[in-house]
Amino acid sequence: DAGVIQSPRHEVTEMGQEVTLRCKPISGHNSLFWYRQTMMRGLELLIYFNNNVPIDDSGMPEDRFSAKMPNASFSTLKIQPSEPRDSAVYFCASSRDSSKSQPQHFGDGTRLSIL
Amino acid sequence: ILNVEQSPQSLHVQEGDSTNFTCSFPSSNFYALHWYRWETAKSPEALFVMTLNGDEKKKGRISATLNTKEGYSYLYIKGSQPEDSATYLCASRMSGSEKLVFGKGMKLTVNP
């Protein structure tokens, strides 16, 4: 079975540019999570969706960050304009059933560097 | 504010040693406690999801216990091997939300 697929694996861009991170969850999973991992703060939840609907976006840092899930098999996290402090590893995860205690399955992450 | 704390932050042991580490979390509105194993340059992989007070789970040489009344979980590794070297993360989930709050992790290094 294919796991959670994220693209790109690495992104290096200059500050001010728009950055789009992509995620394909595991087929049949109805919850999708975006995390940011930094040395200082560890793994932090940015936003999560259930059945394509955003449920909790309280972790989104500011208006420069936005996330969408247009269908069950695709989600994007966009940063516009990007800043050097956005440099981090961004993970996407999915899980099967929100009503039960299911583990989350993580993608390989996108390592983002903003110069 | 939901704070999840892990201790120790790092641990160096010799091959064959047994290890244990602690995850503490707020006990109010508790729903589930997750343990993940995170190898360098890979993504976190689920080890256990625990929900009931007194729960004990085991996978090979790794086991975990849960105390929801006092808000802690222990992870044990029996007879550590070099391939056990990784960061071990715990995360707590409160009732009414799917949000996981992660601890900072415990980095284990097992020397051959």
Side-chain angles (χ1 to χ4, degrees):
Chain A
D1 286 341
V4 175
I5 299 172
Q6 290 187 245
S7 64
R9 290 294 306 276
H10 303 273
E11 174 94 11
V12 180
T13 192
E14 293 185 348
M15 65 177 292
Q17 298 297 308
E18 179 179 291
V19 173
T20 300
L21 311 182
R22 296 173 176 81
C23 176
K24 177 178 168 55
I26 293 173
S27 177
H29 283 196
N30 58 7
S31 296
L32 183 141
F33 307 81
W34 281 103
Y35 290 93
R36 180 170 66 177
Q37 193 251 339
T38 61
M39 288 291 291
M40 290 295 294
R41 300 172 71 92
L43 199 58
E44 295 180 292
L45 180 70
L46 300 176
I47 185 171
Y48 81 89
F49 296 83
N50 183 260
N51 291 322
N52 313 337
V53 176
I55 303 299
D56 184 344
D57 64 356
S58 59
M60 296 286 263
E62 48 196 274
D63 291 345
R64 297 184 298 107
F65 285 68
S66 62
K68 293 182 179 179
M69 191 164 187
N71 57 64
S73 59
F74 183 66
S75 177
T76 59
L77 177 68
K78 189 173 291 188
I79 308 173
Q80 167 63 20
S82 57
E83 296 182 4
R85 61 193 168 119
D86 302 330
S87 299
V89 182
Y90 291 80
F91 286 98
C92 176
S94 69
S95 67
R96 180 178 296 277
D97 188 337
S98 63
S99 65
K100 299 177 184 175
S101 196
Q102 295 288 320
Q104 294 183 10
H105 299 263
F106 284 77
D108 288 335
T110 295
R111 183 173 294 276
L112 178 64
S113 297
I114 308 297
L115 306 177
Chain B
I1 297 176
L2 180 64
N3 288 322
V4 177
E5 304 288 340
Q6 291 188 245
S7 63
Q9 292 185 338
S10 65
L11 195 59
H12 291 252
V13 300
Q14 290 300 123
E15 182 175 355
D17 288 348
S18 292
T19 65
N20 69 81
F21 19 103
T22 306
C23 173
S24 62
F25 52 89
S27 54
S28 59
N29 296 320
F30 171 83
Y31 186 80
L33 193 284
H34 293 224
W35 280 101
Y36 289 84
R37 181 171 179 273
W38 193 355
E39 289 183 73
T40 303
K42 294 188 178 180
S43 56
E45 291 185 8
L47 284 172
F48 307 113
V49 179
M50 309 171 78
T51 58
L52 299 176
N53 186 46
D55 221 358
E56 183 169 343
K57 300 223 172 180
K58 188 174 181 181
K59 184 183 289 188
R61 294 179 291 99
I62 304 177
S63 61
T65 60
L66 179 66
N67 182 321
T68 62
K69 295 185 188 302
E70 296 181 42
Y72 64 84
S73 175
Y74 293 138
L75 189 76
Y76 301 93
I77 303 178
K78 184 178 178 182
S80 303
Q81 299 297 307
E83 57 264 32
D84 295 329
S85 297
T87 296
Y88 292 83
L89 291 168
C90 69
S92 181
R93 177 180 168 183
M94 295 175 69
S95 57
S97 173
E98 286 193 77
K99 180 176 180 176
L100 288 183
V101 177
F102 282 85
K104 292 282 180 68
M106 200 289 299
K107 185 172 182 179
L108 176 67
T109 304
V110 182
N111 299 310

